[in-house]
Amino acid sequence: MNWNEVLNRFVHPEPSEKYKGMAKPWMLPDGRVCATDGKAAIVLKKGVADVEPNDGGVPDITAIVDCKHGERLSWIEAVPALEKKQCRLCGGKGTGHKCKLCNGTGEHECDCNQCTCDECEDCNGTGFLRVTKGIGDAKCPDCEGGQLIADGQEVVWGNHSLGLALVHRFNGIKINSASSLSSKNVVLLHFDEGIGVLVPLTKAAI
C-alpha cells in the first residue's frame, strides 16, 4: 500500500494562510501521521508512513482523532465485494501481442500531408492486439488477468468517496454500518494501520 498516495487524497486543496500546512500531510506530536481537508481525516499509526517536516500552520485535531470509536458504533468486518467484468481489450485472456504496425505506440505514422488520422488502424490506437488462441507475449495494458473492476464502486466516507478497489487494500478494514450517526466526532473506518474520522472544522477555521 502506498500510504502517501492515500494521505494525499485528504489534504486541503486551498487552505487558508493560517493553516497552510493542511496542503500536505503532517505528523502529530505522538508520531502519528495525518491528513485532513477539514471534513474528513485519515490518521496512521506511528511508523506506518514518513512525511517531510511541515512548516505551515495546522489545526489541532488530536482531540477529534482520539474520540472513543468503539462504543457507539456497529462495525462490519466484510467490505462489499468487488464486482468484476471481462476486459474487452484482451477478451478476458489478460495477454495479447504488441502491435507490429505501430510498434506498440498506438500512433499512426504517415508522410502524407492530407492524412488526419493519428491512431494506428490495426490496433485502434491501443498498441495492443488480442490473441485468438493460446497466450500472448504482452500483458494487457487495461486489466489484470483479463478482468476489470466494474466502474462506480465506491465507499462513501464523510464527504469523500474512496474507490472500493483501494479500500480492499486496507488491512483488517472495518466500516461503520450505522445508518445514522448521532455524533460529529465519529470514526467511519478502522483498519490495522489507523483510523478514518469526520473532522467538523468550520470554513472560517480553514
Side-chain angles (χ1 to χ4, degrees):
M1 173 73 84
N2 185 343
W3 287 110
N4 287 324
E5 177 185 334
V6 176
L7 287 165
N8 286 329
R9 288 172 178 252
F10 291 88
V11 298
H12 199 295
E14 296 179 349
S16 66
E17 182 64 24
K18 180 180 179 181
Y19 291 133
K20 62 182 181 180
M22 290 174 64
K24 58 184 181 180
W26 75 91
M27 188 173 290
L28 295 174
D30 61 5
R32 288 178 296 175
V33 173
C34 71
T36 183
D37 61 357
K39 299 173 183 176
I42 183 169
V43 184
L44 302 179
K45 293 178 181 178
K46 183 178 180 179
V48 173
D50 293 322
V51 293
E52 296 178 0
N54 194 329
D55 54 2
V58 292
D60 182 5
I61 63 170
T62 304
I64 295 173
V65 302
D66 284 341
C67 63
K68 293 182 179 180
H69 55 269
E71 297 179 0
R72 300 186 302 274
L73 302 179
S74 173
W75 296 102
I76 53 174
E77 299 281 350
V79 177
L82 277 173
E83 295 177 16
K84 293 191 175 183
K85 59 184 179 181
Q86 181 175 294
C87 176
R88 292 184 180 182
L89 183 60
C90 66
K93 291 183 176 290
T95 63
H97 296 301
K98 182 171 72 173
C99 178
K100 293 182 179 179
L101 184 64
C102 66
N103 196 30
T105 64
E107 297 177 357
H108 170 65
E109 294 183 8
C110 181
D111 294 331
C112 173
N113 293 330
Q114 291 146 356
C115 182
T116 57
C117 172
D118 59 0
E119 286 188 354
C120 175
E121 294 180 0
D122 274 19
C123 63
N124 293 320
T126 64
F128 179 87
L129 296 174
R130 189 187 289 194
V131 290
T132 55
K133 293 182 179 180
I135 300 173
D137 54 16
K139 186 178 179 180
C140 177
D142 277 9
C143 71
E144 288 191 17
Q147 290 187 315
L148 289 169
I149 296 167
D151 296 333
Q153 295 183 85
E154 296 181 334
V155 171
V156 178
W157 176 0
N159 290 333
H160 291 267
S161 293
L162 290 181
L164 191 54
L166 174 64
V167 172
H168 267 267
R169 292 164 57 195
F170 284 51
N171 296 315
I173 185 72
K174 297 179 184 179
I175 300 177
N176 173 30
S177 62
S179 57
S180 61
L181 303 175
S182 59
S183 172
K184 290 183 179 180
N185 297 352
V186 67
V187 173
L188 297 182
L189 296 182
H190 192 278
F191 47 98
D192 290 351
E193 295 85 357
I195 57 174
V197 296
L198 287 180
V199 182
L201 298 179
T202 65
K203 288 185 178 180
I206 58 176

